[in-house]
Amino acid sequence: GHEINTGHSEVTKPDACRPVALLADGTMDGCFTGSACWGTYLHGILDNPDVRDYLAKEYATGTQEKIPDYNSYKETQYDKLADLVRRHVDLPAIYRDLLE
């Protein structure tokens, strides 16, 4: 997935497209033509396990592998990044500069 925050999307064949989501204000978002082609402006859609499972199911047939917990994986990666920053950045100096 990739988020692009510029431009404008236009459905040229509305009969071939269903919305991905109905927003709280009643606006329809995205275009779904089938499992191989759809798009949305919903930030974080791939954080939803149902969406990820739907996208992966075609490729996961016959496997017995346990699907990893994506949210735990993401949090672990954030922790690793924070540890790296703490080791290589003079955070006390940054905090001092911010308070001056």
Side-chain angles (χ1 to χ4, degrees), residues 9-44:
S9 298
E10 185 176 323
V11 177
T12 57
K13 296 181 182 180
D15 293 342
C17 180
R18 297 190 324 255
V20 171
L22 179 63
L23 306 180
D25 67 359
T27 305
M28 290 189 225
D29 173 80
C31 177
F32 179 88
T33 63
S35 63
C37 183
W38 63 278
T40 179
Y41 284 99
L42 292 175
H43 182 75

Side-chain angles (χ1 to χ4, degrees), residues 50-84:
D50 291 336
V51 172
R52 290 192 315 270
D53 290 348
Y54 175 79
L55 292 172
K57 75 178 177 183
E58 183 178 331
Y59 305 100
T61 57
T63 182
Q64 296 299 317
E65 285 185 45
K66 182 180 179 318
I67 297 172
D69 179 358
Y70 178 71
N71 292 328
S72 290
Y73 172 78
K74 222 169 55 163
E75 288 302 317
T76 299
Q77 300 311 304
Y78 290 143
D79 290 342
K80 288 178 181 181
L81 177 60
D83 290 341
L84 184 70

